[in-house]
Amino acid sequence: MPGRQVFSHATAAMLWGMPLPPHFEGDLRLHVGVPAGSTRSLAEGVVGHVVRPERLGAMSLAGVRLAGPSDAWCQLGSMLGVDDLVAAADFLITGGEPLNRDAALCTRGELTAALRRHSGCRGATRLREALELARWGPLSRRESLLRLQLTRGGLPEPVPNLRVLDATRRLVAIVDLAFPEWRVGIEYQGDLHRSPSRFRADVRRLERLADEGWLMVQATADDVGADGALRDSAAFVHRVVARLHSRGWCP
């Protein structure tokens, strides 16, 4: 690649690890951006973009030139809907921090600054709405989309990956989505939980949460699809509402 070219849009987003909708996995085209005044790439298998220089945000990742995380997220505004943009923003401002792992790739303030640089771009309205809905805490696209669907179903907003402590301040568990005021939580049980050791650990964990007064709603792939969408949103929301009502929540 000539020095003026950088990977951008969906390609840059995937290189940074942003969670994207499943259909992007089968799209092998490379998105390449060049600053305004240059000729966009016309190579086979490449989607060329001409980008204003201040919106390109060129950085290096393991020796690869690409748009920076916040600028790549803004570039996705022309390609994704609001919920998918929220999931990507959640990832960027959270990283692996709830598990004391990888630091977040950028801050909410950096996304806000990027939005100002990209003011008037395609999808700017969706980007602004998504940033307002973004939250620190989700560790997967599924958690981000489930949180959005629950709040749209009239429920209070759950806290992603809440650290539950016992009376001695020791960690009991990290709950995927939690309503701490009512001690109701939601846990997604994927296929990774099928191994004997993981199954036993999950049982111990759920029992410890019960000892601390938590009432859990367990979700599986029958409830939440691979794309994060609820398969029967009315039924799932009803299950959560019933648990919350039993703890005194009144909408």
Side-chain angles (χ1 to χ4, degrees), residues 25-116:
E25 296 176 5
D27 187 349
L28 302 181
R29 296 174 300 167
L30 298 174
H31 291 262
V32 175
V34 296
S38 302
T39 302
R40 67 184 178 89
S41 175
L42 300 175
E44 184 178 354
V46 170
V47 181
H49 303 270
V50 177
V51 184
R52 283 164 51 176
E54 69 274 15
R55 295 179 176 179
L56 208 52
M59 297 180 66
S60 177
L61 178 67
V64 176
R65 294 189 305 280
L66 73 170
S70 58
D71 288 294
W73 179 73
C74 289
Q75 292 164 3
L76 291 175
S78 63
M79 308 175 72
L80 299 181
V82 170
D83 288 9
D84 292 322
L85 289 169
V86 172
D90 285 354
F91 166 80
L92 289 175
I93 64 177
T94 300
E97 291 177 355
L99 299 178
N100 297 318
R101 295 177 182 170
D102 297 335
L105 288 173
C106 60
T107 65
R108 182 181 292 273
E110 288 170 328
L111 289 180
T112 300
L115 265 179
R116 287 196 292 268

Side-chain angles (χ1 to χ4, degrees), residues 2-250:
R4 68 182 182 279
Q5 295 183 350
V6 301
F7 290 118
S8 65
H9 295 73
T11 302
M14 286 189 277
L15 288 171
W16 287 115
M18 294 185 218
L20 298 178
H23 67 266
F24 279 91
E25 296 176 5
D27 187 349
L28 302 181
R29 296 174 300 167
L30 298 174
H31 291 262
V32 175
V34 296
S38 302
T39 302
R40 67 184 178 89
S41 175
L42 300 175
E44 184 178 354
V46 170
V47 181
H49 303 270
V50 177
V51 184
R52 283 164 51 176
E54 69 274 15
R55 295 179 176 179
L56 208 52
M59 297 180 66
S60 177
L61 178 67
V64 176
R65 294 189 305 280
L66 73 170
S70 58
D71 288 294
W73 179 73
C74 289
Q75 292 164 3
L76 291 175
S78 63
M79 308 175 72
L80 299 181
V82 170
D83 288 9
D84 292 322
L85 289 169
V86 172
D90 285 354
F91 166 80
L92 289 175
I93 64 177
T94 300
E97 291 177 355
L99 299 178
N100 297 318
R101 295 177 182 170
D102 297 335
L105 288 173
C106 60
T107 65
R108 182 181 292 273
E110 288 170 328
L111 289 180
T112 300
L115 265 179
R116 287 196 292 268
R117 290 195 298 275
H118 291 257
S119 176
C121 70
R122 288 178 57 197
T125 299
R126 290 193 294 273
L127 287 164
R128 286 193 296 271
E129 183 179 350
L131 186 54
E132 290 180 3
L133 293 169
R135 299 289 184 270
W136 183 93
L139 290 169
S140 70
R141 184 169 178 271
R142 179 180 280 113
E143 289 176 11
S144 295
L145 299 184
L146 182 56
R147 171 178 64 84
L148 293 173
Q149 291 173 84
L150 291 172
T151 54
R152 287 171 184 156
L155 276 69
E157 183 168 332
V159 178
N161 290 294
L162 179 75
R163 300 176 71 87
V164 176
L165 306 178
D166 64 17
T168 65
R169 308 298 295 172
R170 289 187 302 178
L171 180 66
V172 174
I174 299 176
V175 177
D176 290 346
L177 293 169
F179 303 91
E181 183 177 348
W182 300 278
R183 294 203 176 193
V184 172
I186 300 172
E187 288 280 281
Y188 180 77
Q189 303 290 1
D191 288 340
L192 292 175
H193 295 250
R194 290 175 180 264
S195 70
S197 61
R198 186 63 181 267
F199 172 77
R200 292 192 298 270
D202 285 341
V203 170
R204 288 195 302 271
R205 185 168 168 275
L206 290 171
E207 285 297 296
R208 290 190 67 200
L209 283 167
D211 290 341
E212 297 298 321
W214 280 79
L215 188 58
M216 302 302 295
V217 180
Q218 297 192 59
T220 69
D222 286 343
D223 302 300
V224 187
D227 60 355
L230 284 170
R231 297 189 186 279
D232 187 344
S233 57
F236 189 83
V237 169
H238 178 75
R239 284 165 56 195
V240 180
V241 166
R243 306 295 202 284
L244 289 169
H245 278 169
S246 73
R247 291 300 177 85
W249 174 67
C250 183

